Amino acid sequence: MKKGLLKLLYATATVILLVMVMTSQVMAASVDLPEPTGNFFVNDFAGVIDTEYERLIQNEAAALYEKTGAQVVVVTVDSLDGESIEIYANELFRKWGIGSAEENNGVLILVSIGDRMSRIEVGYGLEGALPDAKTGRIQDNSMIPFFRDGGYGIGIYSGFLAIVKEVYAEYGIEYEPAGYNYYNDGKYAESDSDAGGVLLFIFVLILVIIDLVFFKGRLTRFLIISSGSRHYRSHSGGFYSGGRSSRGGGFSGGGGRSGGGGSSRKW
């Protein structure tokens, strides 16, 4: 009787443990971090940047990347879904791998329209050129005044251009307007990764129950170990491989990381 009860308790505890592990991963993904568009450098998920400014941002960012290897990426979202803008920006920066893994020379300009908040997140390698006080002044002087009047496109472009010029100066290169068209007008399908994560969770849970009944939890222990390893890799940056693109698009992150440097503003 006691032996059967112990087995039942063990099975129950194992299921609870695995559910907690898998649920934590689903909750981590529930912040709904988006995937980058095909243009990579300009991602207007909130739909507030006019095509003219999108084109200007893409062209300037791509030119900067080809000349220096640094990446300045613009992202707008409707909402942060209750997350702090600092955590959201840092996680998005790492997920996209902005900047190179060797130099960590990436910058993320994040604007949440619904929350009326913005942040400039700076990679390790550019914190000297773009300290917190300077990124704060860029937002105060070049972005927020436009945002208050609803001029998101021009405000984002103005702040973006100020950052681009600082990065050029850091590399000892004189700024010149981009001379090529890197902007792709194509549409990009939305990611279905969230739905896939939920289905994976249900599938694994079924496997666990079968494992407990027929294999005494051996498969469960393996899944716990492998899921922990997968969680570590998902936060190590660099889902997107590096390498500079020729004109015409196809840009991606290079595995860059941010240590939390930058500044946030609310208007």
Side-chain angles (χ1 to χ4, degrees):
M1 181 68 178
K2 289 184 178 180
K3 189 174 181 180
L5 181 60
L6 288 174
K7 285 185 177 180
L8 178 61
L9 290 174
Y10 170 77
T12 303
T14 303
V15 170
I16 292 174
L17 177 61
L18 188 65
V19 169
M20 290 174 63
V21 170
M22 297 301 296
T23 301
S24 67
Q25 294 185 27
V26 172
M27 289 180 65
S30 68
V31 179
D32 194 24
L33 295 177
E35 300 293 335
T37 66
N39 284 310
F40 185 70
F41 294 114
V42 55
N43 307 266
D44 183 25
F45 299 116
V48 295
I49 307 177
D50 293 339
T51 301
E52 173 190 0
Y53 288 117
E54 284 195 10
R55 189 183 303 277
L56 287 170
I57 291 169
Q58 178 70 16
N59 290 344
E60 293 292 348
L64 175 72
Y65 178 46
E66 290 200 337
K67 292 177 181 178
T68 68
Q71 295 184 326
V72 180
V73 175
V74 169
V75 177
T76 72
V77 295
D78 290 314
S79 171
L80 299 170
D81 296 325
E83 186 61 86
S84 74
I85 195 167
E86 291 79 13
I87 293 177
Y88 191 106
N90 189 267
E91 288 297 314
L92 187 64
F93 194 112
R94 295 185 181 212
K95 178 182 179 182
W96 289 16
I98 300 173
S100 74
E102 295 76 19
E103 298 185 35
N104 291 304
N105 52 355
V107 179
L108 169 64
I109 302 174
L110 173 65
V111 180
S112 176
I113 305 304
D115 299 292
R116 298 179 67 84
M117 297 185 71
S118 61
R119 178 166 178 80
I120 297 175
E121 185 84 7
V122 181
Y124 290 114
L126 289 176
E127 288 182 350
L130 291 165
D132 298 356
K134 182 175 289 186
T135 60
R137 287 195 299 271
I138 289 174
Q139 293 185 81
D140 292 337
N141 299 330
S142 302
M143 299 171 65
I144 302 303
F146 292 107
F147 291 171
R148 287 174 178 154
D149 294 331
Y152 294 109
I154 188 172
I156 290 170
Y157 176 67
S158 178
F160 162 84
L161 194 58
I163 291 171
V164 165
K165 291 179 178 179
E166 292 291 341
V167 176
Y168 272 123
E170 174 70 6
Y171 282 87
I173 300 174
E174 184 177 354
Y175 167 74
E176 295 181 1
Y180 300 100
N181 179 30
Y182 300 86
Y183 183 70
N184 189 329
D185 291 308
K187 302 297 182 181
Y188 304 95
E190 295 183 357
S191 171
D192 59 354
S193 58
D194 290 342
V198 174
L199 291 176
L200 176 62
F201 170 72
I202 296 173
F203 176 70
V204 171
L205 186 59
I206 294 173
L207 284 180
V208 169
I209 295 173
I210 295 174
D211 174 46
L212 292 174
V213 174
F214 297 102
F215 303 103
K216 300 182 179 180
R218 295 187 185 91
L219 180 59
T220 300
R221 289 191 291 272
F222 171 77
L223 287 173
I224 292 174
I225 294 172
S226 63
S227 66
S229 173
R230 188 164 57 248
H231 179 72
Y232 172 78
R233 288 197 300 273
S234 71
H235 286 77
S236 63
F239 274 96
Y240 301 90
S241 59
R244 303 188 188 183
S245 169
S246 60
R247 291 191 294 275
F251 296 97
S252 61
R257 297 169 65 87
S258 166
S263 60
S264 305
R265 289 294 187 269
K266 187 174 180 64
W267 68 91

